[in-house]
Amino acid sequence: MTIPRKVAMKSAANGEAPTFRTGMIAIVGRPNVGKSTLLNAIVGSHVSITSRKPQTTRNRVLGVLTRPDAQYVFVDTPGLQHRHRNLMTRRMNSGVASALHGVDAVVMVVDAHGWQEGDDAVLRLLPKPRPAPIAADEPVSTPDAVADVRADGSSAPASRVILALSKTDALRDKGQLLPRIADAAARYPFAAIIPVSAARGWQIDDLLAGLRGLLPEGMPLFEADQITDRSVRFLAAELVREQVFRLMGDELPYGMAVTIERWAESPGRAVIDALILVERESQRAMVIGAGGRKLREIGVKARAGIERLLEKPVFLQTHVRVQPGWNRDARALDQLGIES
Ligand SMILES: Nc1nc2c(ncn2[C@@H]2O[C@H](COP(=O)(O)OP(=O)(O)OP(=O)(O)O)[C@@H](O)[C@H]2O)c(=O)[nH]1
Ligand SMILES: [Mg+2]
């Protein structure tokens, strides 16, 4: 983490410094609802990899957005899993639960196409909402309260959770939104329900405005130009894994991982060896493809992403190794940064 630096805080309208707010915001939801795409749209950079396949995000990834009046520190989390409960997915699930502790606000992402069973599991992890007062003069005991009574006496939100209904650009009938908003509102006292499209950038500013109201006053935690806490090495490994996810069939992802074996960087170029771990020989053959074509395609696309990241030419070598049971092996998971 870097030393906080003061960012511009003057309000153009009256010369007064507006209250600067800073806070941590967890992005949670079932797999594949568009959490990472939303984070990338918010911070305006590809900090978290995305694909059509569930389990794309495996580690918590920070994405930071600094505006003149607020710094939003988002924590992207893995999709909460129902199936494939091996050691890796158990760790991923507990990572989601722990990401919810100590944050100032939460964005729960639900696909606007409709509420599913997997969304209920996410709901159960959310902080308990503040119970409604029984009578005006009766004090309410709120040990799990997620909203404080504000010093200025204004009514506090019932919770610190905003629901983002995602992928609204893909909804054929936008008239479906209103009943879905009503349905979601009946399930949890969300501070706000905001239909968004990360793909089109729709209503991202409304989401940020809603979140700002939930953040405490405070100085920024990160430099204004810092957008993630992850190293370029981690991001490079993720960019390789993203291409494997995007270019392979449905069977593979749960059994593959990527590590960086060599990283030699000079001002003019970077030489990187990436190792793709798979569980079975058959998967190794699939990743390599006929005549090595698939692996070459993975390498070409990943290299383009890493070159954008490093802003210099990259020489990327990719290898594939069979390592049965790595995703049940605590040491291998530790090395991959999939924390317990
Ligand atoms: N049409 C449309 N597709 C989207 C949008 N946001 C995400 N997607 C697609 O939904 C799929 C999943 O997106 P991700 O951002 O990887 O989803 P995730 O929730 O982070 O998934 P996990 O990390 O696996 O839990 C990808 O194919 C995205 O391109 C959107 O606003 N509109
Ligand atoms: Mg993700």
Side-chain angles (χ1 to χ4, degrees), residues 132-140:
I134 298 151
D137 55 353
E138 196 173 322
V140 181

Side-chain angles (χ1 to χ4, degrees), residues 232-234 236-238 240-241 257-265 269-277 295 299 302-303 306 310 314-321:
V232 282
R233 204 180 159 115
F234 172 87
E238 287 288 271
V240 176
R241 194 164 65 81
V258 177
T259 62
I260 300 295
E261 293 217 298
R262 182 159 76 114
W263 186 282
E265 205 178 338
R269 69 170 193 161
V271 180
I272 301 167
D273 286 359
L275 176 67
I276 301 172
L277 291 178
L295 189 58
R303 191 190 68 210
I306 300 170
L310 301 180
V314 168
F315 180 71
L316 174 69
Q317 294 231 39
T318 48
H319 314 267
V320 189
R321 184 193 296 158

Side-chain angles (χ1 to χ4, degrees), residues 177-295:
L177 269 176
L178 278 179
R180 295 220 169 118
I181 290 172
D183 171 61
R187 293 171 189 268
Y188 187 85
F190 294 106
I193 299 177
I194 304 178
V196 298
S197 163
R200 303 278 166 85
W202 290 344
Q203 310 228 98
I204 302 291
D205 275 334
D206 300 68
L207 177 60
L208 289 169
L211 285 169
R212 185 176 180 278
L214 299 175
L215 301 185
E217 284 181 33
M219 293 299 290
L221 298 167
F222 291 89
E223 296 277 356
D225 58 359
Q226 192 173 349
I227 53 168
T228 184
D229 63 331
R230 291 292 184 171
S231 66
V232 282
R233 204 180 159 115
F234 172 87
L235 295 174
E238 287 288 271
L239 289 170
V240 176
R241 194 164 65 81
E242 180 175 60
Q243 291 308 326
V244 183
F245 264 60
R246 288 184 177 185
L247 298 172
M248 301 301 302
D250 283 337
E251 189 208 356
L252 183 71
Y254 311 103
M256 66 77 57
V258 177
T259 62
I260 300 295
E261 293 217 298
R262 182 159 76 114
W263 186 282
E265 205 178 338
S266 64
R269 69 170 193 161
V271 180
I272 301 167
D273 286 359
L275 176 67
I276 301 172
L277 291 178
V278 293
E279 284 206 294
R280 290 191 294 276
E281 193 54 50
S282 60
Q283 295 175 335
R284 196 175 99 90
M286 277 164 53
V287 176
I288 292 171
R293 267 199 295 281
K294 185 65 81 184
L295 189 58

